[in-house]
Amino acid sequence: MDLEPVVDSSERLTRRGESYISTQCVRCECPSLEEYRGPWLEMGISVTQVDRVIEFQRRWGGLVLPPSLDYEGGPKMLYADMTSEAPERDGWFEAGTQRVSMAYDFMIGPAGEFGIDGDRWVPLHASIEGWIESVALAHHASYWAQRISTIRGDAIDGLDSSTFEPVTEIRGLADTWWRGSDSLIAIYTGEAECYSAPRLRIARVYAGLDEWGLSGG
């Protein structure tokens, strides 16, 4: 198995995302899951679902990302696996292992979304590539920003983002990024939606960025 981080997906990463994988991540050896195709099909799991799980493992299995600031660091290692509720949750599968004991799992949804599954399923990004782009952008912005502010709960409603544009490459759903003239805003609502607890919303403002700091490729 090639243990070098691999970018091989139908959704292309930005140069920033590719650089993050090649410089900040490692890839560990892990099984291809192809040997489980037969048993999974015998369990009644659809061919489409089995193909999706095996393909995710081929592209991303074993990829270890540095811990993110949110979601208890995010998945420690990307690794596909079937959920224990496969019959009633057809389309979902596990996306990676947790770093600590947690009340939710990291999952891939029926349309390829990356999200968390606890009290309820909350898609954070429209794809695993979106999650990678988000953590890559956070890493980049934290290095180049002159000031970083953290805002929590209802105080987030006071943020003025009227002059900001969405950062589309992170494919945001519950979590979004916004780009202004000299700053970036990241808003994380996944845990708040999962637990119906608005106080868990978090926003980070990365200010004092030049053109390179705002994009980085």
Side-chain angles (χ1 to χ4, degrees), residues 4 13 39 41 43 49 59 66 74 84 90 95 108 132-133 146 169-170 184 206:
E4 291 298 316
L13 294 173
L41 292 174
M43 291 169 57
Q49 176 74 341
R59 291 176 173 172
S84 59
D90 186 33
I108 300 297
I132 293 173
E133 289 286 1
Q146 296 182 26
E169 62 264 25
I170 66 106
L184 289 163
Y206 300 85

Side-chain angles (χ1 to χ4, degrees), residues 3-213:
L3 298 185
E4 291 298 316
V6 173
V7 178
D8 180 11
S9 173
S10 57
E11 294 190 26
R12 292 189 59 83
L13 294 173
T14 63
R15 185 174 65 179
R16 181 188 60 246
E18 292 178 351
S19 175
Y20 181 76
I21 285 183
S22 64
T23 62
Q24 303 298 320
C25 305
V26 296
R27 196 178 192 194
C28 300
E29 186 171 5
C30 63
S32 69
L33 301 185
E34 186 65 45
E35 64 183 289
Y36 297 104
R37 179 183 293 276
W40 279 337
L41 292 174
E42 291 177 2
M43 291 169 57
I45 300 173
S46 69
V47 173
T48 299
Q49 176 74 341
V50 171
D51 286 345
R52 291 177 67 225
V53 171
I54 292 175
E55 179 64 5
F56 181 93
Q57 184 79 343
R58 183 189 72 81
R59 291 176 173 172
W60 302 109
L63 187 66
V64 179
L65 290 80
S68 68
L69 290 176
D70 303 282
Y71 303 105
E72 299 290 352
K76 181 178 181 180
M77 181 177 73
L78 299 184
Y79 190 102
D81 200 3
M82 293 291 187
T83 66
S84 59
E85 306 91 357
E88 59 266 29
R89 297 296 299 280
D90 186 33
W92 282 263
F93 61 88
E94 296 178 14
T97 56
Q98 298 100 330
R99 297 174 188 271
V100 297
S101 178
M102 301 171 63
Y104 55 78
D105 296 317
F106 297 104
M107 306 285 289
I108 300 297
E113 318 97 308
F114 172 83
I116 58 175
D117 191 37
D119 285 0
R120 67 183 66 183
W121 156 249
V122 180
L124 307 179
H125 301 270
S127 66
I128 186 62
E129 290 86 353
W131 167 258
I132 293 173
E133 289 286 1
S134 180
V135 294
L137 185 55
H139 174 80
H140 172 84
S142 64
Y143 182 84
W144 292 101
Q146 296 182 26
R147 300 176 305 282
I148 302 175
S149 303
T150 300
I151 304 169
R152 300 179 185 274
D154 292 342
I156 292 175
D157 297 332
L159 282 172
D160 181 9
S161 59
S162 59
T163 60
F164 286 65
E165 296 181 349
V167 179
T168 58
E169 62 264 25
I170 66 106
R171 304 163 176 87
L173 296 174
D175 293 352
T176 55
W177 279 75
W178 302 84
R179 182 177 285 120
S181 60
D182 65 353
S183 58
L184 289 163
I185 299 176
I187 301 178
Y188 303 93
T189 68
E191 289 184 341
E193 294 185 26
C194 185
Y195 300 119
S196 299
R199 68 181 185 282
L200 297 179
R201 291 183 298 164
I202 297 175
R204 290 191 180 87
V205 181
Y206 300 85
L209 295 168
D210 58 15
E211 183 176 355
W212 172 254

